[in-house]
Amino acid sequence: MDRIKRSAPVLVAFMAALLIGACATGPGPVPYEAFRNVREADHQHPGEWRIDDNRMVNVIPEEAASDAVAAGQEGASIALVEDFSARDLVVQGRLGFEGYAAPALVFRVQEEDGVVDAMYMLVVNTDGVFLWRLLDGHWTALVRHFVPLQPETMHTVRAEARGDTIEVALDGEDLFDANDTLLMQPGGAGVSAREGVCYVEDVGVERLD
């Protein structure tokens, strides 16, 4: 799998931030080199990421048509933390976007040979925070929490999954709980970007089981 790459000076700075963050509440940030690219089953190739201003940004091909980008057919990227798998877990990060794009945290990701066929996806966009489930090729919206979010503003998003309960927080405030029993297996965790330019930073994961 492709790894996210960055320059040595930036890596040193990020590792320092990792040590500081580890002392704070919740999981500390994961170095970008610890992420690997995967793809959804209906996408031919994994999307790519670049590091810009010490954050991950999904790469949208220059030749991509705007309607294909808006539909998530071009520029859609998923990156998972290497060697991480858990059922009960915390995943959190700072997410931002341009226009109507939709960055997300993903967890309990079922993946084989770089291909994803099931996962939970916690999305932020201009309409609010939505929790989706991908299973057997079908997307289901479990919760749509409508709250206006401004583009190009970073928001701290957190999901804590224990058994059939998923607790979601936004910018340090509890937002909603959801219950679902259809995706209970341990799986990977990481981030996703689609439908435009997305920004991701300070992603942390922690096993609770």
Side-chain angles (χ1 to χ4, degrees):
M1 291 295 104
D2 295 333
R3 302 289 182 85
I4 311 295
K5 299 180 180 179
R6 63 191 300 129
S7 62
V10 177
L11 174 59
V12 171
F14 194 85
M15 289 303 293
L18 174 62
L19 293 175
I20 295 171
C23 300
T25 301
V30 176
Y32 295 133
E33 291 76 13
F35 287 90
R36 59 188 178 87
N37 296 330
V38 296
R39 65 178 175 88
E40 293 177 37
D42 61 350
H43 289 195
Q44 187 173 3
H45 303 288
E48 297 182 1
W49 300 84
R50 59 187 172 88
I51 306 301
D52 186 9
D53 195 22
N54 201 32
R55 57 190 181 183
M56 295 168 61
V57 184
N58 56 317
V59 176
I60 296 178
E62 292 183 3
E63 67 278 9
S66 58
D67 57 347
V69 174
Q73 298 166 348
E74 294 282 356
S77 302
I78 302 176
L80 301 181
V81 178
E82 187 72 74
D83 297 326
F84 180 89
S85 180
R87 187 194 74 162
D88 296 346
L89 77 159
V90 172
V91 56
Q92 66 182 33
R94 286 171 47 79
L95 309 179
F97 54 89
E98 295 182 6
Y100 297 98
L105 301 176
V106 296
F107 54 100
R108 290 187 186 167
V109 180
Q110 307 301 303
E111 170 254 334
E112 185 175 358
D113 296 329
V115 179
V116 173
D117 59 11
M119 63 181 163
Y120 289 113
M121 178 178 285
L122 183 61
V123 178
V124 299
N125 61 24
T126 55
D127 291 329
V129 182
F130 300 164
L131 179 63
W132 291 83
R133 182 191 62 226
L134 172 65
L135 187 64
D136 297 330
H138 300 289
W139 285 99
T140 301
L142 300 177
V143 177
R144 291 185 172 97
H145 187 94
F146 292 97
V147 54
L149 299 178
Q150 294 300 315
E152 302 189 36
T153 299
M154 302 300 290
H155 293 278
T156 300
V157 185
R158 174 186 173 97
E160 180 173 325
R162 293 180 183 269
D164 64 356
T165 301
I166 300 169
E167 300 177 356
V168 172
L170 175 69
D171 294 329
E173 300 291 335
D174 293 340
L175 202 61
F176 61 79
D177 295 354
N179 293 98
D180 187 63
T181 60
L182 295 185
L183 186 51
M184 298 288 287
Q185 308 95 312
V191 294
S192 170
R194 60 199 310 143
E195 300 173 20
V197 177
C198 301
Y199 306 104
V200 176
E201 64 186 22
D202 295 342
V203 177
V205 295
E206 179 181 5
R207 294 180 181 88
L208 300 178
D209 51 5

